[in-house]
């Protein structure tokens, strides 16, 4: 089986390669694909040197699976070309997420929706993935009426240039500015571009993707997404109103038994999820579980995950693993 990683030299592409190795993903031939400026570059991976190839050469090789992390415009142009030669494309960009003909997949929730004809499969937004994964067992038990989420998102979500800006500021050097303001020692209530309704594109992604993944347009969602000067993880304060009342002991039990979720909720001993401890982990961490005393049937929770892992690379690799497991490739 041929496996292509498109955008292999970027932050997420590098993480995808790490996750593939850790998961012992089965392939016979690995194609590392990047933009023209990286073609010919040598990358050592699993004690073997690989030469980076271009997109046209990768399409000609007809890989069974191509994991894309190369930006929306690249995905819009090239994903259909891979699909035409029979490749399953798993795309990390926002290009296909809200396309009604494409599946938006978090494997623990809705992988069963994937069929042999779904040649382009969308990976959800990083901040959406961790939230819906933690909410899914509770949604199944109590039903969800409304979600209010505020995020605290790592600079790694923007990419290497944003990390370089923050570290230059931290070290007193003049940075190449990725953000409109300084990010170190600061907080920016602004992720992606502002929309006519006053929300950012990131906030609207969380609203729209949540409804699509849950296949439920009746759920009301509102979001405020914020960039903070951390690396290695996104954090979220989530307030969720259920259709039915809940028991906190049962909530904890449901979360503890949910695949891909780890409960860290012992405030007496200062145990709660943090991005620094979620770094390089595949799971989603949940804590600060408490009843909202201002409103009936409402829970407050704190959700943290490594945005380059479950928020991107791990989720994509898990989709690829599902394709293999079900004999679709």
């Amino acid at each position: 089986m041929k496996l292509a990683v498109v955008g292999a030299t970027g932050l997420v592409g590098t993480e995808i390669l790490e996750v593939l190795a850790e998961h012992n993903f089965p392939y016979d031939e690995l194609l590392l694909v990047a933009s023209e400026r990286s073609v010919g570059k040598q990358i050592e991976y699993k004690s073997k040197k690989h030469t980076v190839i271009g997109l046209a050469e990768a399409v000609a090789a007809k890989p069974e699976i191509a994991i894309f992390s190369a930006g929306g415009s690249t995905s819009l142009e090239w994903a259909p070309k891979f699909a035409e030669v029979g490749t399953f494309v798993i795309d990390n960009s926002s290009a296909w997420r809200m396309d009604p003909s494409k599946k938006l997949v978090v494997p623990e929730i809705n992988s069963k929706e994937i069929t042999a004809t779904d040649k382009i499969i969308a990976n959800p937004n990083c901040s959406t993935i961790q939230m819906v994964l933690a909410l899914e067992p509770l949604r199944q038990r109590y039903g969800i009426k409304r979600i209010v989420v505020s995020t605290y998102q790592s600079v790694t979500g923007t990419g290497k240039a944003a990390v370089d800006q923050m570290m230059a500021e931290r070290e007193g050097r003049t940075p190449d500015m990725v953000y409109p303001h300084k990010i170190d020692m600061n907080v920016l209530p602004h992720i992606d571009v502002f929309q006519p309704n006053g929300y950012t594109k990131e906030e609207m992604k969380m609203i729209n993707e949540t409804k699509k993944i849950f296949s439920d347009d009746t759920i009301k969602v509102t979001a405020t997404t914020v960039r903070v000067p951390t690396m290695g993880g996104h954090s979220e304060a989530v307030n969720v109103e259920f259709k039915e009342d809940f028991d906190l002991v049962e909530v904890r039990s449901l979360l503890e038994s949910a695949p891909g979720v780890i409960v860290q909720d012992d405030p007496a001993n200062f145990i709660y999820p943090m991005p620094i401890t979620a770094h390089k982990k595949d799971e989603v961490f949940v804590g600060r579980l408490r009843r909202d005393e201002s409103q009936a049937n409402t829970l407050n929770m704190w959700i943290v995950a490594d945005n380059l892992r479950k928020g991107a690379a791990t989720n994509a690799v898990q989709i690829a693993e599902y394709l293999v497991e079900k004999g679709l490739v």
Side-chain angles (χ1 to χ4, degrees):
M1 186 179 76
K2 290 180 186 174
L3 170 68
V5 176
V6 179
T9 57
L11 269 184
V12 176
T14 302
E15 205 74 26
I16 288 167
L17 292 174
E18 283 190 27
V19 175
L20 288 168
E22 289 172 16
H23 287 218
N24 292 312
F25 185 84
Y27 60 82
D28 299 303
E29 184 179 347
L30 179 65
L31 308 174
L32 300 187
V33 190
S35 62
E36 288 303 316
R37 67 177 179 272
S38 295
V39 170
K41 181 179 177 182
Q42 294 278 307
I43 294 178
E44 187 165 328
Y45 177 66
K46 294 179 80 171
S47 303
K48 182 181 175 183
K49 287 195 173 177
H50 297 264
T51 301
V52 175
I53 63 173
L55 285 152
E57 186 178 346
V59 171
K62 298 183 180 180
E64 277 73 22
I65 297 173
I67 303 178
F68 267 56
S69 188
S73 59
T74 300
S75 293
L76 284 172
E77 179 182 356
W78 287 93
K81 295 178 181 178
F82 278 88
E84 283 170 15
V85 299
T87 301
F88 278 99
V89 174
I90 302 164
D91 182 45
N92 266 301
S93 79
S94 61
W96 303 100
R97 290 175 187 156
M98 297 312 299
D99 185 322
S101 69
K102 304 294 183 287
K103 304 290 169 56
L104 184 63
V105 175
V106 177
E108 295 91 339
I109 299 175
N110 61 347
S111 58
K112 291 178 182 176
E113 295 178 8
I114 299 172
T115 69
T117 61
D118 292 310
K119 293 301 183 184
I120 299 176
I121 302 164
N123 216 38
N125 185 44
C126 47
S127 49
T128 305
I129 290 173
Q130 66 186 72
M131 182 177 77
V132 297
L133 185 60
L135 288 179
E136 172 65 0
L138 308 181
R139 181 183 77 91
Q140 291 286 352
R141 173 64 179 86
Y142 308 113
I144 292 177
K145 286 180 68 175
R146 183 170 187 254
I147 302 165
V148 182
V149 55
S150 298
T151 72
Y152 307 72
Q153 295 181 223
S154 162
V155 293
T156 56
T158 308
K160 183 180 181 301
V163 175
D164 292 343
Q165 176 186 329
M166 185 178 77
M167 296 313 294
E169 290 167 347
R170 190 160 293 183
E171 294 162 10
R173 296 181 283 110
T174 302
D176 291 327
M177 296 294 286
V178 175
Y179 300 120
H181 303 283
K182 181 181 177 182
I183 183 60
D184 192 42
M185 303 290 285
N186 199 16
V187 168
L188 304 181
H190 168 198
I191 298 179
D192 215 318
V193 295
F194 284 100
Q195 306 294 290
N197 65 356
Y199 286 78
T200 64
K201 191 176 176 184
E202 182 84 358
E203 289 158 353
M204 295 310 300
K205 286 177 192 174
M206 292 197 75
I207 292 165
N208 295 325
E209 291 177 23
T210 297
K211 295 180 179 185
K212 182 172 180 178
I213 293 164
F214 285 154
S215 298
D216 188 349
D217 285 334
T218 70
I219 297 176
K220 298 182 185 301
V221 186
T222 189
T224 302
T225 59
V226 180
R227 190 71 68 191
V228 296
T230 59
M231 289 196 291
H234 289 351
S235 305
E236 298 172 348
V238 175
N239 178 275
V240 55
E241 181 184 0
F242 298 114
K243 293 178 181 177
E244 300 177 12
D245 198 9
F246 59 90
D247 176 77
L248 271 174
V249 173
E250 185 181 47
V251 164
R252 181 187 298 274
S253 175
L254 289 166
L255 289 168
E256 286 175 341
S257 60
V261 175
I262 293 178
V263 175
Q264 295 178 327
D265 189 37
D266 184 5
N269 290 300
F270 311 117
I271 294 172
Y272 33 70
M274 297 181 292
I276 200 167
T277 49
H279 185 54
K280 291 292 184 185
K281 305 286 200 321
D282 285 337
E283 297 82 9
V284 171
F285 299 86
V286 183
R288 297 297 319 280
L289 298 168
R290 63 208 188 278
R291 186 177 289 275
D292 180 345
E293 297 181 350
S294 71
Q295 180 167 272
N297 304 348
T298 303
L299 177 74
N300 283 309
M301 56 201 302
W302 178 250
I303 303 170
V304 177
D306 186 324
N307 52 292
L308 297 182
R309 286 277 174 144
K310 185 55 179 171
T314 300
N315 200 74
V317 170
Q318 288 173 326
I319 293 171
E321 288 172 331
Y322 180 85
L323 295 175
V324 173
E325 177 192 332
K326 296 302 177 182
L328 294 171
V329 293

